[in-house]
Amino acid sequence: MIAIEKVGKNFGSTTVLDGVELAIAPGEVVSILGASGSGKSTLIRCINGLETVDAGRITVDGFDVAEKAGLAEARRRSATVFQLFNLYPHMTALENVMLAPTMVLKRPRAEVEAEARALLERVGLAARAEAYPAQLSGGQRQRVGICRALAMKPRYLLLDEVTSALDPEMTAEVLAILAQLAREGTTMLFVTHEIEFARRISTRVVFLEKGRIEVNLPTAEFFSEAGGLANPRIARFLSRMAAPEAAAPLSPAPTDAHEAS
Amino acid sequence: MAFDLTVLVPYLGQLADGALLTAEACFFAVLGSFVCGTLAAFAATSAEPGLRRIAGAYTGLFRNIPFIVQLFFFYFGLPEIGLYIDAFTTGCIALSIAGGAYAADVLRAGILSVDPGVVEAAKVSGLTRLATFRLIVLPIALRASVRPLGSVFINLILTSSILSTITLNELTGAAKIVASTTFRPFEVYFVLLVVYAGLTYLMSLAISLLHRRLNRYMAEG
Ligand SMILES: Nc1ncnc2c1ncn2[C@@H]1O[C@H](COP(=O)(O)OP(=O)(O)OP(=O)(O)O)[C@@H](O)[C@H]1O
Ligand SMILES: [Mg+2]
């Protein structure tokens, strides 16, 4: 279980997370929605220890990420997939996937390689195992990124807008893999702007607004008129996300983050 | 006296010995300066302010003192406090330390150009700081740094001629002796010129190969 307890985070004088309470139990797929700047990425970065929290506590299976030993253990139990892939550019797809299992878990190479190849095969990249990131398309890179995360056999998968740098076709190929993972019961914390997809795969939806959790509801309830849609901010957010192309040229400035209040 | 290289034939062995000594010293100096430079660059880019300060002091100091002064200090100064090191070793150490100060700056710039997202990926995967540096940061930094590092190494070859001032008969030292015995400085230093140019050319060739190898399949950062 990932337990986020009253977490607060400031960058200088701006409060980015404010009293965030959230628990992710094994088997859940929790989607995090929210406007740009609402703190979604920061929340993920606090869980994997890339940022330290200023208040409250985050534990992964009881291991406190604020402690050195706790963080090391927490990082073994979770894996992160990044928006911009962040693959190691000097290593092949296969080497990218194999690095952490061999170096961190100290597992035997042959075994790790067999598993890595199986993972790449599963995402349709068996033939590209020896390719370098620069030789792959964006969608292929992100699929390698997912394999790299899965190679650690994490209990929790943290995903931060993993398709937002991809075109629709590549997005579809990556989402198909995530849907498959969700069906298999992989626990995921999933930051996304793909509302429809979130609705399809998640068990719960969290709406973040200015660093606070505005609602945290089971998926069906979140998208029901009486549930999440009853909240005007969420209704507005969802309608805006539904037709982003139509909205964009009309709005004179990106007002996402500051509008509501 | 006409230009006549054949007068040097009897001294070829002596000159070749000198060239070999230069090559050896340069080999160790390149390795040593790479090690010193890497350590200093690691310190310079670390989150530890203490380490950063030490690295800053090292590069600042050794880049701002004439090499010959550093060399004399090590060779003539240290015995005064009871530290005796032979000329060859002293020369290699002095070149490594001085070259390392320049290599550190070059590597530091390379390290700072590494995509922070890639480093974060390594971190959250659980790699230790040292493993992240060795397996991710340094290899990526070297892609950009290998050419300017080549200039540092070439300078090291040129600077190695100063080792002749501490009784080391490397190429320049040997040439001085041959010139004074033959009274043919024009021919001797002509040969010297060609040999140094050859050594530095070999170095730049090696660097080019290394650069190409490190940057294969890296069309984009
Ligand atoms: N390292 C940082 N230093 C200062 N401010 C930061 C830093 N990282 C994030 N912020 C600020 O924190 C706020 C929340 O950022 P965050 O990236 O978490 O938002 P987000 O919900 O992920 O947005 P998006 O949907 O655009 O990715 C923003 O106002 C951002 O400018
Ligand atoms: Mg974000």
Side-chain angles (χ1 to χ4, degrees):
Chain A
M1 166 130 120
I2 297 179
I4 298 160
E5 301 162 20
K6 297 205 179 64
V7 161
K9 173 72 185 169
N10 310 307
F11 285 113
S13 60
T14 42
T15 301
V16 177
L17 294 177
D18 185 5
V20 171
E21 288 268 353
L22 182 63
I24 299 116
E28 281 194 296
V29 176
V30 178
S31 287
I32 301 185
L33 307 181
S36 181
S38 57
K40 306 179 298 291
S41 298
T42 305
L43 181 60
I44 296 267
R45 293 171 61 82
C46 286
I47 297 171
N48 61 24
L50 289 175
E51 304 283 355
T52 54
V53 302
D54 297 317
R57 198 166 86 110
I58 297 178
T59 58
V60 177
D61 290 342
F63 293 98
D64 191 336
V65 302
E67 290 158 13
K68 196 169 187 285
L71 180 60
E73 194 52 49
R75 281 179 170 168
R76 284 190 183 205
R77 284 156 194 266
S78 64
T80 307
V81 182
F82 299 85
Q83 180 174 7
L84 299 176
F85 331 127
N86 297 349
L87 295 182
Y88 311 129
H90 58 306
M91 296 184 180
T92 64
L94 184 69
E95 289 165 346
N96 265 276
V97 178
M98 289 177 59
L99 182 71
T102 45
M103 295 306 296
V104 179
L105 304 179
K106 316 275 184 209
R107 295 179 50 212
R109 273 195 84 78
E111 195 183 301
V112 170
E113 180 173 340
E115 279 179 19
R117 286 191 187 277
L119 278 172
L120 288 170
E121 163 133 44
R122 196 168 140 196
V123 301
L125 288 176
R128 307 295 281 148
E130 324 297 336
Y132 287 84
Q135 299 172 302
L136 299 172
S137 75
Q140 290 174 330
R141 284 183 219 176
Q142 193 56 295
R143 282 185 274 163
V144 173
I146 292 170
C147 289
R148 178 174 67 177
L150 292 178
M152 291 298 278
K153 299 185 179 158
R155 296 190 188 187
Y156 309 98
L157 209 50
L158 311 175
L159 305 110
D160 187 3
E161 295 197 40
V162 296
T163 58
S164 63
L166 302 176
D167 66 27
E169 197 180 325
M170 296 179 190
T171 297
E173 67 190 43
V174 169
L175 291 184
I177 290 159
L178 297 181
Q180 173 70 28
L181 289 171
R183 273 196 299 280
E184 291 167 6
T186 312
T187 310
M188 293 195 247
L189 186 57
F190 187 60
V191 171
T192 188
H193 286 143
E194 302 280 339
I195 310 283
E196 264 320 300
F197 183 73
R199 183 177 193 161
R200 239 177 46 230
I201 70 159
S202 32
T203 54
R204 218 142 43 87
V205 179
V206 168
F207 188 79
L208 211 58
E209 167 91 7
K210 294 186 177 145
R212 289 171 170 276
I213 292 190
E214 183 89 9
V215 300
N216 174 3
L217 290 171
T219 307
E221 222 175 301
F222 182 88
F223 288 102
S224 75
E225 293 295 338
L229 293 182
N231 182 319
R233 283 182 193 157
I234 296 175
R236 198 164 32 198
F237 175 78
L238 292 181
S239 68
R240 200 172 40 222
M241 295 316 280
E245 281 85 0
L250 291 177
S251 47
T255 51
D256 283 12
H258 310 288
E259 194 180 282
S261 63
Chain B
M1 266 195 300
F3 183 70
D4 177 13
L5 284 174
T6 58
V7 300
L8 296 181
V9 169
Y11 303 95
L12 277 185
Q14 205 173 338
L15 288 171
D17 284 347
L20 193 65
L21 200 62
T22 290
E24 281 170 7
C26 289
F27 175 80
F28 289 117
V30 164
L31 276 187
S33 60
F34 181 70
V35 171
C36 291
T38 303
L39 289 175
F42 178 77
T45 54
S46 103
E48 238 10 93
L51 281 180
R52 284 207 302 272
R53 230 169 293 131
I54 293 174
Y58 164 59
T59 52
L61 193 63
F62 284 92
R63 287 166 12 133
N64 289 301
I65 299 170
F67 178 71
I68 195 164
V69 175
Q70 298 175 31
L71 187 66
F72 282 6
F73 175 78
F74 287 130
Y75 190 67
F76 300 113
L78 290 185
E80 295 282 312
I81 59 166
L83 261 176
Y84 296 91
I85 313 172
D86 67 90
F88 181 76
T89 311
T90 306
C92 290
I93 291 175
L95 280 174
S96 296
I97 292 176
Y102 288 94
D105 264 7
V106 166
L107 283 167
R108 195 182 73 100
I111 289 168
L112 292 178
S113 75
V114 174
D115 175 4
V118 171
V119 183
E120 289 182 346
K123 255 197 213 168
V124 301
S125 80
L127 283 186
T128 61
R129 261 201 287 179
L130 204 60
T132 302
F133 184 79
R134 187 170 64 85
L135 299 168
I136 307 294
V137 177
L138 191 58
I140 299 174
L142 276 178
R143 291 192 290 162
S145 295
V146 66
R147 279 196 186 286
L149 215 47
S151 313
V152 172
F153 294 158
I154 284 172
N155 256 314
L156 226 45
I157 295 178
L158 305 182
T159 309
S160 75
S161 62
I162 295 177
L163 300 190
S164 61
T165 57
I166 56 165
T167 75
L168 209 61
N169 291 327
E170 43 64 80
L171 190 53
T172 304
K176 269 194 220 159
I177 295 170
V178 175
S180 61
T181 37
T182 56
F183 300 108
R184 303 294 286 246
F186 189 55
E187 284 84 352
V188 172
Y189 289 117
F190 177 78
V191 168
L192 196 64
L193 212 120
V194 171
V195 176
Y196 273 115
L199 279 175
T200 53
Y201 179 69
L202 280 181
M203 175 56 84
S204 61
L205 214 58
I207 289 294
S208 285
L209 285 176
L210 195 62
H211 181 263
R212 210 168 320 147
R213 165 136 189 102
L214 288 172
N215 284 277
R216 77 208 144 126
Y217 309 127
M218 293 198 183
E220 55 131 72

